[in-house]
Amino acid sequence: MKTICFYFQIHQPYRLKRYRFFNIGRDHYYYDDYSNEDIMQQIAARSFVPANRMLLDLIRSSKGKFRVAISVSGVALDQMEVYAPEVIDGLKELSKTGAVEFLAETYSHSLASLADSVEFQNQVQMQTQKVKLLFDQKPTVLRNTEMIFSDDIAEMAYNMGYSKMISEGAKLILSWRSPNYVYTSEVQPNMKLLLRNSQFSDDISLRFSDCTWKEYPLTADKYISWIDATSPQEEVFNIFMNYETFGNLQPSHSGIFEFMRALPQFAFDRGISFATPSEIMESHEPVGTVSVPNTISWSDEERDLSRWLGNKLQKSAFKTLYEISERVRLTNDRRLKMDWQYLQSSDHFYYMSTKHFYDGSMHNKFSPYQSPYDAFNNYMNVLSDFIDRVKAQYPDSVDNEELNSLLTTIHNQEREIKKLQAELKKVLTGNEEKLVEKRQRKRN
């Protein structure tokens, strides 16, 4: 039986305010609060809130047979808590249905997996804790930022305790094979993989309202018929897309909400079901392995990292940022740690991309800057001030070897403190029990 796996990504970065060279050392607040609030509230009203309502209606009307997965970055959740709490309320309602699975990802929607394995692990832990706190779910499936994946990342994720991931079904790793199966990592056979079907995903997220597309208009019946017409051996159809597809990337007047509301019933009529990523990977056996020696993503035709690390500006900023990661981990300064998270968002590097800037394409639509060079200068000014603040606590005179030694000492002390606290709790509990017994003997 054919099964559709819907996964939706939710992320919004903290955009930086105009930060000039002369602000360095004087102004330590970096964010454009007006833009962040305005953009979040607009997207919430156009997309997130009605999309939450739509999914909830579909789940209830199908008695839980319609099932989806959602991944939300920590920085997006931070903004929603302040600017659009109604979105979180809606996501909580979806979680309570038992038909929505929340996935793990990096807290900052960062590129940490490419530079710092410790930071990568810390961010995934932070995001999963936030998901547990808000939605009472412990994610078991990992989705890295922008579906970035490689053999090395598979190893890192497995060592972090994950045995299930989702990524892009790029032709350069699948060749003639179909993405419509469960696979495993060649370097880590215990790591199961679900790979995005780019054609079926992009038909909705990119082409739905394109009147020049030969298949326009796309109807739910037509879409399901395409899936039904595939080979009987192809059982899993991974439709992964941005949640903003509903109402923002594809405006409501395009009929995107009506399309989605009609789709489940057409699927059920043809015997096609819906399942979450963890359900599919638990119920389907892998058909083969995939080798990914070179890192892939779900961006652009190349499915590579060139959108974020394709030019010298991006690489320079990226290198400068992660050179101070060990020092940041030493600090207990909450403000520094918060800035560290927000400055890692991959969006800052995306804004520096020159890949398609001059043709006026998608880059201009999402970037708050007039040019990639403005984005680079603004970010580096902010980063310079941030680095000065970090070095004020942990100066360059302390080399990396000393930092590693200090980190090890701190971690050992933390473990010892936790051990002593557990022993103390055990002793106190024992004393309380003895005191209760003594009081009962006196009464008797």
Side-chain angles (χ1 to χ4, degrees):
M1 184 174 73
K2 296 184 185 297
T3 303
I4 295 175
C5 177
F6 272 119
Y7 152 75
F8 305 115
Q9 167 65 36
I10 301 176
H11 169 65
Q12 279 295 316
Y14 273 93
R15 292 162 186 82
L16 304 176
K17 68 183 181 183
R18 184 68 174 173
Y19 194 91
R20 295 176 173 81
F21 176 79
F22 299 104
N23 294 119
I24 298 173
R26 299 179 181 181
D27 181 3
H28 303 317
Y29 190 78
Y30 310 134
Y31 312 105
D32 187 342
D33 291 337
Y34 175 80
S35 291
N36 290 324
E37 179 178 5
D38 183 56
I39 291 170
M40 176 57 76
Q41 290 183 344
Q42 285 193 41
I43 293 175
R46 286 198 302 258
S47 178
F48 297 158
V49 171
N52 284 346
R53 192 181 306 119
M54 175 189 70
L55 293 185
L56 189 61
D57 290 343
L58 289 173
I59 291 167
R60 287 174 173 171
S61 63
S62 67
K63 297 181 179 179
K65 290 192 295 181
F66 181 72
R67 311 176 72 78
V68 302
I70 294 174
S71 181
V72 196
S73 69
V75 294
L77 289 170
D78 287 350
Q79 291 184 78
M80 288 174 189
E81 286 180 310
V82 178
Y83 303 135
E86 65 274 18
V87 178
I88 292 181
D89 291 339
L91 293 174
K92 287 180 178 178
E93 287 297 310
L94 288 173
S95 181
K96 289 176 184 177
T97 65
V100 177
E101 176 180 10
F102 284 84
L103 308 187
E105 70 161 77
T106 57
Y107 195 92
S108 305
H109 198 76
S110 75
L111 306 175
S113 60
L114 305 175
D116 190 328
S117 60
V118 174
E119 181 62 24
F120 178 52
Q121 180 173 348
N122 289 346
Q123 285 197 27
V124 172
Q125 288 177 346
M126 284 180 62
Q127 190 264 355
T128 56
Q129 289 169 2
K130 189 95 172 180
V131 168
K132 175 66 176 173
L133 177 66
L134 293 175
F135 310 122
D136 197 28
Q137 286 193 32
K138 182 179 180 181
T140 60
V141 178
L142 176 62
R143 181 264 193 200
N144 194 16
T145 304
E146 306 293 349
M147 289 200 184
I148 290 172
F149 183 78
S150 68
D151 291 340
D152 290 340
I153 292 172
E155 287 280 12
M156 276 193 289
Y158 187 76
N159 291 335
M160 288 160 53
Y162 290 93
S163 59
K164 303 181 187 75
M165 288 188 73
I166 66 173
S167 188
E168 174 65 30
K171 289 183 180 179
L172 62 106
I173 66 168
L174 286 175
S175 185
W176 54 268
R177 294 178 295 176
S178 166
N180 303 329
Y181 299 96
V182 176
Y183 290 91
T184 60
S185 166
E186 187 171 284
V187 298
Q188 183 43 261
N190 293 320
M191 175 65 75
K192 289 186 176 182
L193 302 172
L194 277 189
L195 303 177
R196 174 179 178 263
N197 185 309
S198 59
Q199 177 182 332
F200 284 123
S201 299
D202 293 346
D203 283 345
I204 300 175
S205 62
L206 298 183
R207 292 183 279 271
F208 183 81
S209 60
D210 181 3
C211 59
T212 65
W213 181 34
K214 65 178 182 178
E215 298 294 346
Y216 179 86
L218 180 62
T219 64
D221 187 18
K222 182 194 294 186
Y223 187 81
I224 292 299
S225 71
W226 292 343
I227 293 177
D228 191 42
T230 57
S231 169
Q233 286 74 33
E234 297 184 80
E235 297 183 336
V236 179
F237 296 84
N238 304 309
I239 316 300
F240 303 163
M241 65 185 80
N242 194 319
Y243 204 38
E244 292 178 42
T245 297
F246 305 113
N248 194 36
L249 302 180
Q250 301 295 337
S252 59
H253 62 73
S254 69
I256 188 67
F257 288 103
E258 290 75 15
F259 167 85
M260 199 64 188
R261 287 192 178 96
L263 188 141
Q265 191 57 54
F266 281 108
F268 295 143
D269 290 345
R270 292 175 180 263
I272 298 173
S273 63
F274 296 85
T276 65
S278 63
E279 291 170 339
I280 289 175
M281 286 188 271
E282 288 167 6
S283 61
H284 289 70
E285 289 298 319
V287 299
T289 63
V290 291
S291 174
V292 192
N294 299 315
T295 309
I296 62 170
S297 75
W298 70 348
S299 178
D300 298 336
E301 286 290 327
E302 299 87 350
R303 302 292 193 253
D304 59 12
L305 303 178
S306 57
R307 178 61 73 179
W308 306 277
L309 298 174
N311 63 44
K312 291 182 179 180
L313 301 179
Q314 295 166 310
K315 291 174 182 177
S316 173
F318 183 74
K319 181 175 181 291
T320 303
L321 175 68
Y322 283 101
E323 280 179 341
I324 58 166
S325 58
E326 290 181 337
R327 283 173 164 76
V328 177
R329 281 195 286 274
L330 283 171
T331 185
N332 289 320
D333 188 322
R334 291 181 62 186
R335 179 71 177 276
L336 268 180
K337 285 185 175 294
M338 181 196 75
D339 291 337
W340 170 242
Q341 294 301 323
Y342 296 166
L343 290 176
Q344 288 185 73
S345 292
S346 63
D347 309 75
H348 301 306
F349 303 97
Y350 173 84
Y351 300 147
M352 301 175 200
S353 175
T354 53
K355 190 172 182 180
H356 299 297
F357 174 71
Y358 294 106
D359 63 10
S361 61
M362 293 295 283
H363 181 281
N364 286 345
K365 183 176 180 180
F366 296 108
S367 176
Y369 301 97
Q370 290 187 343
S371 77
Y373 311 102
D374 288 340
F376 174 76
N377 288 333
N378 202 67
Y379 183 79
M380 292 306 289
N381 285 341
V382 169
L383 191 56
S384 295
D385 183 80
F386 177 75
I387 290 173
D388 286 346
R389 290 164 59 204
V390 174
K391 288 183 177 180
Q393 295 191 24
Y394 301 99
D396 287 336
S397 56
V398 181
D399 61 27
N400 285 339
E401 188 173 336
E402 290 178 276
L403 282 174
N404 287 329
S405 176
L406 186 54
L407 277 172
T408 301
T409 301
I410 291 172
H411 292 327
N412 289 340
Q413 288 176 342
E414 289 176 349
R415 284 194 290 269
E416 186 64 25
I417 289 171
K418 288 179 180 179
K419 180 181 176 181
L420 292 173
Q421 287 175 335
E423 291 176 356
L424 179 60
K425 184 177 180 181
K426 187 176 179 180
V427 170
L428 291 175
T429 302
N431 289 339
E432 287 178 0
E433 290 175 352
K434 289 178 181 178
L435 185 59
V436 170
E437 290 176 3
K438 186 176 180 181
R439 287 174 178 171
Q440 287 177 341
R441 284 198 299 269
K442 284 184 177 181
R443 290 173 184 169
N444 295 334

mmCIF file of all heavy atoms in Angstrom, residues 55-89:
data_model
loop_
_atom_site.group_PDB
_atom_site.id
_atom_site.type_symbol
_atom_site.label_atom_id
_atom_site.label_comp_id
_atom_site.label_asym_id
_atom_site.label_seq_id
_atom_site.Cartn_x
_atom_site.Cartn_y
_atom_site.Cartn_z
ATOM 1 N N LEU A 55 -4.827 21.746 9.391
ATOM 2 C CA LEU A 55 -4.344 20.416 9.756
ATOM 3 C C LEU A 55 -5.198 19.798 10.851
ATOM 4 O O LEU A 55 -5.506 18.598 10.812
ATOM 5 C CB LEU A 55 -2.880 20.491 10.205
ATOM 6 C CG LEU A 55 -1.844 20.857 9.141
ATOM 7 C CD1 LEU A 55 -0.436 20.763 9.726
ATOM 8 C CD2 LEU A 55 -1.952 19.962 7.916
ATOM 9 N N LEU A 56 -5.574 20.608 11.820
ATOM 10 C CA LEU A 56 -6.394 20.103 12.920
ATOM 11 C C LEU A 56 -7.743 19.601 12.392
ATOM 12 O O LEU A 56 -8.219 18.524 12.799
ATOM 13 C CB LEU A 56 -6.603 21.193 13.965
ATOM 14 C CG LEU A 56 -7.271 20.775 15.280
ATOM 15 C CD1 LEU A 56 -6.433 19.727 16.006
ATOM 16 C CD2 LEU A 56 -7.494 21.992 16.178
ATOM 17 N N ASP A 57 -8.357 20.343 11.485
ATOM 18 C CA ASP A 57 -9.629 19.925 10.900
ATOM 19 C C ASP A 57 -9.477 18.615 10.116
ATOM 20 O O ASP A 57 -10.335 17.725 10.200
ATOM 21 C CB ASP A 57 -10.176 21.015 9.976
ATOM 22 C CG ASP A 57 -10.645 22.249 10.728
ATOM 23 O OD1 ASP A 57 -10.844 22.152 11.957
ATOM 24 O OD2 ASP A 57 -10.797 23.313 10.092
ATOM 25 N N LEU A 58 -8.383 18.498 9.358
ATOM 26 C CA LEU A 58 -8.157 17.291 8.561
ATOM 27 C C LEU A 58 -7.927 16.072 9.455
ATOM 28 O O LEU A 58 -8.410 14.972 9.156
ATOM 29 C CB LEU A 58 -6.960 17.497 7.631
ATOM 30 C CG LEU A 58 -7.177 18.454 6.457
ATOM 31 C CD1 LEU A 58 -5.878 18.700 5.710
ATOM 32 C CD2 LEU A 58 -8.236 17.902 5.499
ATOM 33 N N ILE A 59 -7.191 16.264 10.524
ATOM 34 C CA ILE A 59 -6.930 15.161 11.452
ATOM 35 C C ILE A 59 -8.217 14.712 12.135
ATOM 36 O O ILE A 59 -8.513 13.509 12.232
ATOM 37 C CB ILE A 59 -5.871 15.574 12.498
ATOM 38 C CG1 ILE A 59 -4.505 15.738 11.827
ATOM 39 C CG2 ILE A 59 -5.786 14.548 13.633
ATOM 40 C CD1 ILE A 59 -3.474 16.433 12.680
ATOM 41 N N ARG A 60 -9.000 15.664 12.578
ATOM 42 C CA ARG A 60 -10.251 15.321 13.269
ATOM 43 C C ARG A 60 -11.269 14.693 12.325
ATOM 44 O O ARG A 60 -11.918 13.702 12.672
ATOM 45 C CB ARG A 60 -10.839 16.571 13.926
ATOM 46 C CG ARG A 60 -10.060 17.026 15.154
ATOM 47 C CD ARG A 60 -10.580 18.343 15.697
ATOM 48 N NE ARG A 60 -9.934 18.689 16.970
ATOM 49 C CZ ARG A 60 -10.073 19.860 17.575
ATOM 50 N NH1 ARG A 60 -10.845 20.812 17.036
ATOM 51 N NH2 ARG A 60 -9.462 20.096 18.722
ATOM 52 N N SER A 61 -11.407 15.246 11.129
ATOM 53 C CA SER A 61 -12.395 14.708 10.187
ATOM 54 C C SER A 61 -12.020 13.315 9.697
ATOM 55 O O SER A 61 -12.892 12.515 9.338
ATOM 56 C CB SER A 61 -12.570 15.653 8.998
ATOM 57 O OG SER A 61 -11.360 15.770 8.264
ATOM 58 N N SER A 62 -10.726 13.014 9.686
ATOM 59 C CA SER A 62 -10.271 11.682 9.261
ATOM 60 C C SER A 62 -10.088 10.732 10.442
ATOM 61 O O SER A 62 -9.628 9.602 10.269
ATOM 62 C CB SER A 62 -8.944 11.798 8.499
ATOM 63 O OG SER A 62 -7.892 12.220 9.365
ATOM 64 N N LYS A 63 -10.429 11.209 11.637
ATOM 65 C CA LYS A 63 -10.275 10.433 12.876
ATOM 66 C C LYS A 63 -8.835 9.954 13.076
ATOM 67 O O LYS A 63 -8.579 8.820 13.457
ATOM 68 C CB LYS A 63 -11.238 9.249 12.889
ATOM 69 C CG LYS A 63 -12.707 9.673 12.876
ATOM 70 C CD LYS A 63 -13.645 8.483 12.916
ATOM 71 C CE LYS A 63 -15.095 8.962 12.916
ATOM 72 N NZ LYS A 63 -16.057 7.839 12.931
ATOM 73 N N GLY A 64 -7.910 10.849 12.769
ATOM 74 C CA GLY A 64 -6.496 10.580 13.012
ATOM 75 C C GLY A 64 -5.783 9.839 11.906
ATOM 76 O O GLY A 64 -4.578 9.572 12.018
ATOM 77 N N LYS A 65 -6.468 9.523 10.819
ATOM 78 C CA LYS A 65 -5.804 8.812 9.719
ATOM 79 C C LYS A 65 -4.894 9.735 8.905
ATOM 80 O O LYS A 65 -3.956 9.270 8.268
ATOM 81 C CB LYS A 65 -6.847 8.166 8.809
ATOM 82 C CG LYS A 65 -7.582 6.997 9.439
ATOM 83 C CD LYS A 65 -8.386 6.207 8.411
ATOM 84 C CE LYS A 65 -9.512 7.048 7.820
ATOM 85 N NZ LYS A 65 -10.311 6.253 6.842
ATOM 86 N N PHE A 66 -5.202 11.028 8.907
ATOM 87 C CA PHE A 66 -4.312 11.992 8.257
ATOM 88 C C PHE A 66 -3.226 12.360 9.260
ATOM 89 O O PHE A 66 -3.512 12.829 10.370
ATOM 90 C CB PHE A 66 -5.073 13.236 7.831
ATOM 91 C CG PHE A 66 -4.210 14.261 7.136
ATOM 92 C CD1 PHE A 66 -3.752 14.044 5.853
ATOM 93 C CD2 PHE A 66 -3.855 15.437 7.781
ATOM 94 C CE1 PHE A 66 -2.956 14.989 5.208
ATOM 95 C CE2 PHE A 66 -3.057 16.385 7.152
ATOM 96 C CZ PHE A 66 -2.606 16.151 5.864
ATOM 97 N N ARG A 67 -1.972 12.126 8.891
ATOM 98 C CA ARG A 67 -0.862 12.278 9.822
ATOM 99 C C ARG A 67 0.270 13.049 9.156
ATOM 100 O O ARG A 67 0.542 12.867 7.957
ATOM 101 C CB ARG A 67 -0.356 10.905 10.301
ATOM 102 C CG ARG A 67 -1.504 10.010 10.780
ATOM 103 C CD ARG A 67 -1.058 8.620 11.167
ATOM 104 N NE ARG A 67 -0.309 8.615 12.411
ATOM 105 C CZ ARG A 67 -0.855 8.695 13.611
ATOM 106 N NH1 ARG A 67 -2.166 8.805 13.742
ATOM 107 N NH2 ARG A 67 -0.099 8.664 14.694
ATOM 108 N N VAL A 68 0.955 13.899 9.926
ATOM 109 C CA VAL A 68 2.037 14.725 9.377
ATOM 110 C C VAL A 68 3.153 14.870 10.408
ATOM 111 O O VAL A 68 2.996 14.498 11.575
ATOM 112 C CB VAL A 68 1.547 16.133 8.973
ATOM 113 C CG1 VAL A 68 0.428 16.057 7.954
ATOM 114 C CG2 VAL A 68 1.100 16.920 10.205
ATOM 115 N N ALA A 69 4.279 15.429 9.969
ATOM 116 C CA ALA A 69 5.396 15.753 10.855
ATOM 117 C C ALA A 69 5.739 17.231 10.704
ATOM 118 O O ALA A 69 5.574 17.811 9.623
ATOM 119 C CB ALA A 69 6.620 14.896 10.531
ATOM 120 N N ILE A 70 6.193 17.819 11.796
ATOM 121 C CA ILE A 70 6.566 19.242 11.814
ATOM 122 C C ILE A 70 7.892 19.384 12.551
ATOM 123 O O ILE A 70 8.137 18.709 13.541
ATOM 124 C CB ILE A 70 5.483 20.094 12.514
ATOM 125 C CG1 ILE A 70 4.179 20.087 11.712
ATOM 126 C CG2 ILE A 70 5.958 21.531 12.720
ATOM 127 C CD1 ILE A 70 3.023 20.794 12.403
ATOM 128 N N SER A 71 8.736 20.273 12.050
ATOM 129 C CA SER A 71 9.970 20.614 12.751
ATOM 130 C C SER A 71 10.032 22.122 12.910
ATOM 131 O O SER A 71 9.816 22.861 11.944
ATOM 132 C CB SER A 71 11.197 20.115 11.981
ATOM 133 O OG SER A 71 12.384 20.422 12.675
ATOM 134 N N VAL A 72 10.308 22.591 14.120
ATOM 135 C CA VAL A 72 10.340 24.023 14.409
ATOM 136 C C VAL A 72 11.683 24.371 15.042
ATOM 137 O O VAL A 72 12.085 23.758 16.036
ATOM 138 C CB VAL A 72 9.216 24.442 15.381
ATOM 139 C CG1 VAL A 72 9.032 25.954 15.353
ATOM 140 C CG2 VAL A 72 7.918 23.738 15.072
ATOM 141 N N SER A 73 12.375 25.335 14.486
ATOM 142 C CA SER A 73 13.652 25.751 15.078
ATOM 143 C C SER A 73 13.403 26.451 16.413
ATOM 144 O O SER A 73 12.345 27.038 16.641
ATOM 145 C CB SER A 73 14.404 26.691 14.135
ATOM 146 O OG SER A 73 13.744 27.940 14.023
ATOM 147 N N GLY A 74 14.398 26.396 17.281
ATOM 148 C CA GLY A 74 14.281 27.046 18.586
ATOM 149 C C GLY A 74 14.142 28.546 18.481
ATOM 150 O O GLY A 74 13.382 29.160 19.241
ATOM 151 N N VAL A 75 14.848 29.162 17.523
ATOM 152 C CA VAL A 75 14.757 30.617 17.392
ATOM 153 C C VAL A 75 13.375 31.044 16.901
ATOM 154 O O VAL A 75 12.886 32.124 17.245
ATOM 155 C CB VAL A 75 15.863 31.190 16.471
ATOM 156 C CG1 VAL A 75 17.231 30.995 17.082
ATOM 157 C CG2 VAL A 75 15.810 30.580 15.086
ATOM 158 N N ALA A 76 12.724 30.190 16.109
ATOM 159 C CA ALA A 76 11.354 30.488 15.693
ATOM 160 C C ALA A 76 10.413 30.385 16.884
ATOM 161 O O ALA A 76 9.526 31.231 17.072
ATOM 162 C CB ALA A 76 10.913 29.539 14.586
ATOM 163 N N LEU A 77 10.608 29.361 17.707
ATOM 164 C CA LEU A 77 9.771 29.203 18.899
ATOM 165 C C LEU A 77 9.963 30.377 19.860
ATOM 166 O O LEU A 77 8.998 30.861 20.464
ATOM 167 C CB LEU A 77 10.103 27.889 19.602
ATOM 168 C CG LEU A 77 9.656 26.616 18.875
ATOM 169 C CD1 LEU A 77 10.240 25.386 19.545
ATOM 170 C CD2 LEU A 77 8.132 26.519 18.819
ATOM 171 N N ASP A 78 11.202 30.849 20.001
ATOM 172 C CA ASP A 78 11.467 32.007 20.860
ATOM 173 C C ASP A 78 10.660 33.219 20.397
ATOM 174 O O ASP A 78 10.084 33.954 21.209
ATOM 175 C CB ASP A 78 12.961 32.355 20.838
ATOM 176 C CG ASP A 78 13.806 31.358 21.625
ATOM 177 O OD1 ASP A 78 13.226 30.509 22.331
ATOM 178 O OD2 ASP A 78 15.047 31.433 21.523
ATOM 179 N N GLN A 79 10.634 33.447 19.090
ATOM 180 C CA GLN A 79 9.891 34.593 18.558
ATOM 181 C C GLN A 79 8.382 34.406 18.695
ATOM 182 O O GLN A 79 7.654 35.353 19.000
ATOM 183 C CB GLN A 79 10.257 34.814 17.097
ATOM 184 C CG GLN A 79 11.684 35.313 16.897
ATOM 185 C CD GLN A 79 11.983 35.601 15.453
ATOM 186 O OE1 GLN A 79 11.589 36.628 14.904
ATOM 187 N NE2 GLN A 79 12.681 34.683 14.809
ATOM 188 N N MET A 80 7.918 33.191 18.465
ATOM 189 C CA MET A 80 6.482 32.928 18.594
ATOM 190 C C MET A 80 5.994 33.164 20.020
ATOM 191 O O MET A 80 4.895 33.680 20.232
ATOM 192 C CB MET A 80 6.181 31.488 18.184
ATOM 193 C CG MET A 80 6.292 31.213 16.714
ATOM 194 S SD MET A 80 6.081 29.456 16.384
ATOM 195 C CE MET A 80 6.536 29.387 14.654
ATOM 196 N N GLU A 81 6.817 32.787 20.979
ATOM 197 C CA GLU A 81 6.417 32.983 22.375
ATOM 198 C C GLU A 81 6.190 34.456 22.681
ATOM 199 O O GLU A 81 5.347 34.800 23.502
ATOM 200 C CB GLU A 81 7.490 32.399 23.302
ATOM 201 C CG GLU A 81 7.485 30.878 23.342
ATOM 202 C CD GLU A 81 8.540 30.316 24.264
ATOM 203 O OE1 GLU A 81 9.719 30.728 24.161
ATOM 204 O OE2 GLU A 81 8.209 29.457 25.092
ATOM 205 N N VAL A 82 6.948 35.330 22.020
ATOM 206 C CA VAL A 82 6.843 36.774 22.268
ATOM 207 C C VAL A 82 5.832 37.440 21.342
ATOM 208 O O VAL A 82 4.998 38.233 21.779
ATOM 209 C CB VAL A 82 8.226 37.445 22.095
ATOM 210 C CG1 VAL A 82 8.118 38.954 22.297
ATOM 211 C CG2 VAL A 82 9.233 36.855 23.072
ATOM 212 N N TYR A 83 5.909 37.110 20.031
ATOM 213 C CA TYR A 83 5.148 37.855 19.028
ATOM 214 C C TYR A 83 3.877 37.149 18.535
ATOM 215 O O TYR A 83 2.965 37.815 18.057
ATOM 216 C CB TYR A 83 6.033 38.150 17.813
ATOM 217 C CG TYR A 83 7.300 38.899 18.126
ATOM 218 C CD1 TYR A 83 8.526 38.513 17.577
ATOM 219 C CD2 TYR A 83 7.280 40.013 18.962
ATOM 220 C CE1 TYR A 83 9.693 39.211 17.847
ATOM 221 C CE2 TYR A 83 8.452 40.716 19.235
ATOM 222 C CZ TYR A 83 9.652 40.301 18.683
ATOM 223 O OH TYR A 83 10.807 40.994 18.947
ATOM 224 N N ALA A 84 3.820 35.827 18.617
ATOM 225 C CA ALA A 84 2.674 35.099 18.060
ATOM 226 C C ALA A 84 2.380 33.840 18.873
ATOM 227 O O ALA A 84 2.469 32.720 18.353
ATOM 228 C CB ALA A 84 2.941 34.749 16.590
ATOM 229 N N PRO A 85 2.043 33.994 20.146
ATOM 230 C CA PRO A 85 1.786 32.813 20.993
ATOM 231 C C PRO A 85 0.635 31.953 20.491
ATOM 232 O O PRO A 85 0.566 30.762 20.825
ATOM 233 C CB PRO A 85 1.465 33.426 22.361
ATOM 234 C CG PRO A 85 1.066 34.842 22.084
ATOM 235 C CD PRO A 85 1.860 35.254 20.896
ATOM 236 N N GLU A 86 -0.254 32.532 19.673
ATOM 237 C CA GLU A 86 -1.371 31.750 19.151
ATOM 238 C C GLU A 86 -0.895 30.631 18.227
ATOM 239 O O GLU A 86 -1.569 29.599 18.083
ATOM 240 C CB GLU A 86 -2.362 32.658 18.408
ATOM 241 C CG GLU A 86 -1.849 33.319 17.146
ATOM 242 C CD GLU A 86 -1.108 34.628 17.384
ATOM 243 O OE1 GLU A 86 -0.684 34.872 18.528
ATOM 244 O OE2 GLU A 86 -0.952 35.407 16.411
ATOM 245 N N VAL A 87 0.277 30.808 17.610
ATOM 246 C CA VAL A 87 0.833 29.750 16.757
ATOM 247 C C VAL A 87 1.235 28.559 17.619
ATOM 248 O O VAL A 87 0.957 27.395 17.281
ATOM 249 C CB VAL A 87 2.038 30.263 15.950
ATOM 250 C CG1 VAL A 87 2.632 29.130 15.113
ATOM 251 C CG2 VAL A 87 1.634 31.420 15.053
ATOM 252 N N ILE A 88 1.897 28.833 18.730
ATOM 253 C CA ILE A 88 2.288 27.754 19.641
ATOM 254 C C ILE A 88 1.062 27.063 20.202
ATOM 255 O O ILE A 88 1.034 25.825 20.334
ATOM 256 C CB ILE A 88 3.190 28.305 20.758
ATOM 257 C CG1 ILE A 88 4.545 28.740 20.169
ATOM 258 C CG2 ILE A 88 3.402 27.253 21.853
ATOM 259 C CD1 ILE A 88 5.524 29.276 21.167
ATOM 260 N N ASP A 89 0.022 27.817 20.529
ATOM 261 C CA ASP A 89 -1.217 27.201 21.017
ATOM 262 C C ASP A 89 -1.771 26.230 19.978
ATOM 263 O O ASP A 89 -2.241 25.130 20.316
ATOM 264 C CB ASP A 89 -2.263 28.274 21.330
ATOM 265 C CG ASP A 89 -1.886 29.120 22.542
ATOM 266 O OD1 ASP A 89 -1.060 28.654 23.355
ATOM 267 O OD2 ASP A 89 -2.406 30.247 22.675
#
